[in-house]
Amino acid sequence: MSLLKELPPLALYVHIPWCERKCPYCDFNSHEQFDERLETPYVNALLEDLSQQQQAVDNREIMSIFIGGGTPSLFSERAIAMLMDGIRRQLTLTADVEITLESNPGSAEAARYNGYHTAGINRLSIGVQSFDDGMLKRLGRVHDSREAFRSIELARAAGFKRYNIDLMHGLPNQTPAQAEYDINTAIRLSGGHLSWYQLTIEPNTGFYNAPPQLPNEPTLIAIQDNGEALLNSSGFNRYEVSAWAQPGQASRHNLNYWQFGDYLGIGAGAHGKWTTQHGNLVRSQRTRLPKDYLAAIGAQKRVSTRTVALSEFTGEFAMNALRLREGFKPSLFEARTGLPIAALEAPLARALEKGLITIAEDLIQPTDLGYRFLNDLVALFFEH
């Protein structure tokens, strides 16, 4: 048990697990064969799930909500409004709460942006991935470039001043010139935030079973270096491994994760993490299959929880905070874990010796080398 002066900020993650089609690179908890008749039962299950977590809320206000998936924009405006109304009845939201909904650029989904905005969604994350029709086809996406452009236009018209564009690079047979076109287009159309990340082949995906031809290492390095230069020159700051934002546009929900804040999780497969008044750290996970999640209405069997051992706190914190490009202050470690900064003395010394971090008077920050080999850096804190 650690001793906290105050509980961390609290966010809410909502998982909607259906997609129109499973992309061959996706290893998220997403499922095909969505049936619109499931909307109301699923929203009811989400709200009941939330009602069972009031102890974890502990009278805290919710500073951000993220509705992810899957493809949440498969849900109608009515269903999202019903969800948001139910959340507001159970929780107190901060006056400046950030409420993000993930969407795909399909025409039918983008047409719902007005209704989502009216329901209280104030930020979108649009899964563009590429503005090149050939690349989109290779990725198994259900939209084309015309719909990608149109979705951003509709987001602006609906009144969204903040939106993220999801963009991938290192795509099958992608050239540096094609990647540059994508990043320049995203910068031009940006709502101030880009998630820009390299395609990786994950187990239990279509690409894992039938791997595509990816660019070679020199090409990947050229794409990465050129993209970073373009983003930096356009006023974007890389504040996390794959997140770039112009001033004031960083995702508050994501920052809460990386700063080791607390978050409730509702929905099939959703994870949660919260801190008790006694300083215990609890992690939870909901059952993954939508049919099992729905069948568990009225029961507690949809969730498993575990209390994190105190010996794991340093690794858990580092796994999150070291994703931040600016690093973290010792005071943040102490505030979020209840432990003295001395608890990090041994792993910090090893990381410093390997050239993976720098330590200033009030800042612990990954070096360029540490950021490149982030998994190795984080492993030092779990070894401790």
Side-chain angles (χ1 to χ4, degrees):
M1 184 177 72
S2 61
L3 186 61
L4 297 180
K5 293 181 180 179
E6 62 180 2
L7 292 176
L10 184 63
L12 172 65
Y13 175 75
V14 182
H15 193 74
I16 296 179
W18 290 282
C19 282
E20 183 176 342
R21 184 170 71 204
K22 182 85 169 179
C23 295
Y25 57 83
C26 178
D27 67 339
F28 293 149
N29 183 36
S30 59
H31 305 267
E32 296 180 351
Q33 299 178 332
F34 171 63
D35 186 335
E36 292 180 359
R37 292 173 296 181
L38 294 174
E39 278 191 348
T40 297
Y42 193 76
V43 170
N44 287 335
L46 289 171
L47 296 175
E48 183 201 37
D49 191 356
L50 182 60
S51 72
Q52 296 171 353
Q53 300 191 59
Q54 291 304 309
Q55 184 177 1
V57 176
D58 206 359
N59 296 316
R60 283 178 283 180
E61 293 183 320
I62 301 296
M63 47 78 66
S64 69
I65 299 171
F66 195 99
I67 306 172
T71 307
S73 54
L74 286 178
F75 271 38
S76 66
E77 305 97 308
R78 180 196 62 82
I80 296 301
M82 177 182 169
L83 171 65
M84 290 306 305
D85 288 344
I87 289 173
R88 291 189 187 94
R89 284 194 297 269
Q90 294 193 43
L91 301 173
T92 301
L93 311 183
T94 60
D96 63 345
V97 63
E98 175 188 272
I99 307 175
T100 304
L101 182 137
E102 284 187 335
S103 76
N104 275 345
S107 297
E109 297 162 40
R112 296 172 173 156
Y113 287 170
N114 279 315
Y116 295 154
H117 193 267
T118 300
I121 307 300
N122 56 29
R123 184 175 181 271
L124 292 174
S125 183
I126 306 173
V128 170
Q129 312 312 349
S130 176
F131 292 96
D132 182 294
D133 283 331
M135 292 298 164
L136 291 170
K137 187 174 182 179
R138 291 172 200 170
L139 290 173
R141 301 296 288 171
V142 297
H143 70 273
D144 59 23
S145 60
R146 179 187 59 81
E147 290 175 310
F149 289 117
R150 179 65 173 158
S151 68
I152 295 169
E153 180 183 330
L154 289 173
R156 290 172 169 173
F160 286 98
K161 293 181 172 58
R162 300 185 68 217
Y163 57 88
N164 168 63
I165 295 176
D166 249 9
L167 196 68
M168 300 173 72
H169 63 89
L171 307 181
N173 297 312
Q174 188 178 44
T175 66
Q178 289 171 322
E180 181 174 333
Y181 166 76
D182 270 352
I183 195 69
N184 274 327
T185 304
I187 289 170
R188 176 170 59 84
L189 299 175
S190 162
H193 192 285
L194 296 178
S195 294
W196 187 58
Y197 51 94
Q198 182 179 323
L199 170 64
T200 55
I201 307 300
E202 303 290 350
N204 302 314
T205 64
F207 277 172
Y208 186 80
N209 296 322
Q213 182 65 48
L214 299 182
N216 59 29
E217 191 66 22
T219 300
L220 290 173
I221 292 173
I223 288 172
Q224 182 76 36
D225 290 347
N226 188 42
E228 289 185 8
L230 289 169
L231 285 162
N232 284 324
S233 65
S234 300
F236 283 82
N237 173 53
R238 186 186 191 184
Y239 69 94
E240 188 266 336
V241 172
S242 59
W244 296 74
Q246 292 177 328
Q249 294 298 321
S251 165
R252 296 199 289 273
H253 189 86
N254 288 345
L255 278 174
N256 188 56
Y257 286 147
W258 313 138
Q259 293 171 345
F260 214 49
D262 284 356
Y263 55 96
L264 307 175
I266 59 175
H271 291 255
K273 172 250 178 188
W274 72 91
T275 311
T276 71
Q277 287 284 358
H278 299 295
N280 290 321
L281 179 60
V282 181
R283 289 198 175 275
S284 66
Q285 181 177 359
R286 269 65 194 157
T287 187
R288 287 176 57 86
L289 293 179
K291 65 180 180 63
D292 293 341
Y293 183 83
L294 285 165
I297 292 178
Q300 292 283 356
K301 64 182 180 180
R302 66 159 63 99
V303 58
S304 60
T305 61
R306 74 177 184 94
T307 300
V308 178
L310 191 61
S311 60
E312 298 177 57
F313 276 29
T314 55
E316 289 259 350
F317 178 87
M319 182 172 62
N320 289 276
L322 288 173
R323 291 181 65 97
L324 293 171
R325 194 65 184 93
E326 67 177 16
F328 64 92
K329 295 182 178 182
S331 58
L332 181 70
F333 173 77
E334 293 176 342
R336 295 291 188 263
T337 67
L339 299 174
I341 191 62
L344 292 181
E345 183 176 358
L348 287 176
R350 289 199 297 273
L352 192 62
E353 181 183 2
K354 293 175 180 288
L356 300 177
I357 60 167
T358 59
I359 303 178
E361 182 176 343
D362 197 34
L363 189 65
I364 297 164
Q365 186 175 35
T367 60
D368 289 342
L369 182 67
Y371 220 50
R372 192 179 314 148
F373 296 98
L374 189 57
N375 288 341
D376 297 319
L377 172 56
V378 169
L380 298 175
F381 292 80
F382 278 101
E383 289 171 8
H384 172 68

